Amino acid sequence: MTKIRSLRTAALIAVAAGVLAAGLPVLSAEAAVGDGTPADSNISFVGRWNKTNASAYVPYWAGAYLRVGFTGRTVKLRQRNTIQLWASIDGRAFTSFTGSSTINLTPTALAAGNHTLIVSYRQVAGSYTGDAVFQGLILESGAGTFAPPARPKLVEFVGDSITAGATSSQLAVTDYGFKVGERLGYDHTQIAIGGMCLAETTDGCWAQETRYWMSSGGQAGTDPWDFSRYTADGVVINLGTNDKSHGVSAAAFQATYTTFLTRIRARFPNAKLFAMRTFIGRYATETEAAVRARNAAGDANVFYVDTTGWLPSGGLSDSVHPNDAGHQAITDRLAPVLSARLTTTPDPTTPPPTTAPTTPAPTAPAGACAVTYRKTGDWGTGAQFDVTLSNTSTIPVNGWTLTWSLPGSQRITQSWNSTVTQSGAAATAVNASWNAVIPAAGSVSFGFVTDSPLGGATGFALNGSPCAAAT
């Protein structure tokens, strides 16, 4: 993959220095409510923003944006120097604007009333050195801002130029991360720079294992990010496309990935973490192994996302970067996966005791089980299913294997919270190390994705004994 180093370091350091030296008055948040200045608390700044100057805020990484409600018929942006950005008013398609000083986002006046606005600045990359310094909104006389509707969750997308939207028509805005967040109605941020690796390399590839922890990833200094600024409910990682060409061994990649997941878990104890297979399949085995290592360590809320077959024919603009159609296809597949996992309560991240009993544990009686089998996502060419296996007896189940038959020629392409295998229509799920025991009157859950949306699975059996089922 051709390295797309998404910055000119000197230019971005100049931006940061310019913010501090802009000579603009510093306004208090209390005095700013409703007036559209950067310190206006009605404006939601999503992602990693430099707010050291209350009169001039600077977005870092890709896909950072602001959301705000406003009254009146017009809205303009006060900018310092030339910038390209994308804006959406009242949920309409994003429109590109380029300019400096004052940028009019409503060349045609809106109807009077309440409106919502999202603005995302183009990330400095390659030869582009725009000046992303937000200095406020300009509203018509008598108008003001109001807080936009709250979004229930925030998802962080971590990656390289693919996650930054390189080669798509509107860059970060037409990237799968931005599109998934908007589709789900979640806040979202893309911690991505072109050319990034996961692991540090001898030839200097910018590595997320080091730069993820920085405010700007090194674009404007190396100061650490304050993780108390926002809490991610989900973190989606898509890394490994560049590491191969920088000589990272499979063993080193797997070890680094496992450590990276562990460190992110420490920052976001309650988040669900998703490790994606790179779209061209590099380090797929090692990525999945890192997830399994975290699962074995007791973290049930780390999931491997197998992206095999997600990109349609013609979905790439070159050998690795999705085009708009590719990003749309990824969005269609990833959104239901995240929605299903992020709308359920996180499983405990502490494994059960592993000390073996000195005497054999009693076994639940045959047939004392029930299965709830639900389709929780459907995108036409595939679906997600969640399975709850309940022990209806008064004795714990110590180790479980669930078998069933799939409809038609349906194939399982990925799974979580169990090891799922398939032979023809016969599917088998075996417990993970941390969920092997089903307490009396308790249950365990697992899930999987299939290559078709067919429902109607039949013949559920726990450890060889039939189970009652609801599908």
Side-chain angles (χ1 to χ4, degrees), residues 156-367:
E156 189 174 72
F157 295 85
V158 182
D160 48 36
S161 59
I162 294 172
T163 304
T167 77
S168 70
S169 62
Q170 295 182 329
L171 303 178
V173 172
T174 38
D175 178 84
Y176 72 90
F178 201 103
K179 291 171 73 68
V180 166
E182 289 300 302
R183 174 178 293 190
L184 296 178
Y186 297 164
D187 276 331
H188 47 87
T189 185
Q190 291 145 267
I191 308 301
I193 295 172
M196 293 198 84
C197 296
L198 167 66
E200 289 289 348
T201 64
T202 57
D203 60 356
C205 183
W206 279 35
Q208 288 281 17
E209 72 163 317
T210 300
R211 297 180 183 272
Y212 170 82
W213 317 103
M214 302 176 188
S215 294
S216 69
Q219 292 176 305
T222 58
D223 58 299
W225 173 245
D226 178 2
F227 281 86
S228 69
R229 292 267 296 272
Y230 65 74
T231 299
D233 298 281
V235 180
V236 181
I237 305 167
N238 182 7
L239 287 167
T241 301
N242 292 314
D243 294 73
K244 181 72 72 175
S245 58
H246 288 274
V248 178
S249 70
F253 184 86
Q254 181 176 324
T256 302
Y257 213 131
T258 304
T259 300
F260 192 55
L261 290 169
T262 304
R263 293 185 67 193
I264 291 177
R265 165 62 67 224
R267 292 296 188 182
F268 301 123
N270 298 315
K272 294 192 175 180
L273 312 184
F274 303 86
M276 297 179 70
R277 170 191 175 273
T278 57
F279 299 121
I280 59 174
R282 290 180 178 172
Y283 300 106
T285 298
E286 293 73 25
T287 300
E288 184 172 14
V291 171
R292 298 305 179 203
R294 290 300 304 145
N295 293 159
D299 192 340
N301 294 305
V302 183
F303 310 98
Y304 176 66
V305 181
D306 186 350
T307 64
T308 302
W310 281 21
L311 283 171
S313 175
L316 293 174
S317 59
D318 50 27
S319 60
V320 295
H321 293 99
N323 54 24
D324 285 10
H327 281 291
Q328 185 60 55
I330 296 165
T331 299
D332 292 341
R333 300 296 292 270
L334 183 58
V337 172
L338 299 190
S339 177
R341 301 257 48 100
L342 293 174
T343 54
T344 58
T345 303
D347 296 319
T349 57
T350 301
T354 57
T355 303
T358 56
T359 58
T363 301

Side-chain angles (χ1 to χ4, degrees), residues 66 70 73-77 85-89 95-97 102-108 110 117-119 137:
L66 64 87
F70 67 95
R73 299 175 302 161
T74 63
V75 60
K76 301 174 184 177
L77 294 178
L85 55 89
W86 289 273
S88 168
I89 297 176
T95 301
S96 175
F97 295 87
T102 300
I103 299 179
N104 185 4
L105 304 182
T106 50
T108 300
L110 306 169
L117 170 68
I118 301 177
V119 175
L137 304 175

Side-chain angles (χ1 to χ4, degrees), residues 9 13 16 28 42 53 64 71 92 110 119 129 164 181-182 218 227 284 296 328 367 393 403 412-413 423 430:
T9 304
I13 290 175
S28 70
N42 285 334
N53 185 330
T71 61
R92 301 187 187 102
L110 306 169
V119 175
T129 57
E182 289 300 302
F227 281 86
Q328 185 60 55
S393 77
T403 57
I412 294 173
T413 60
S423 177
V430 178

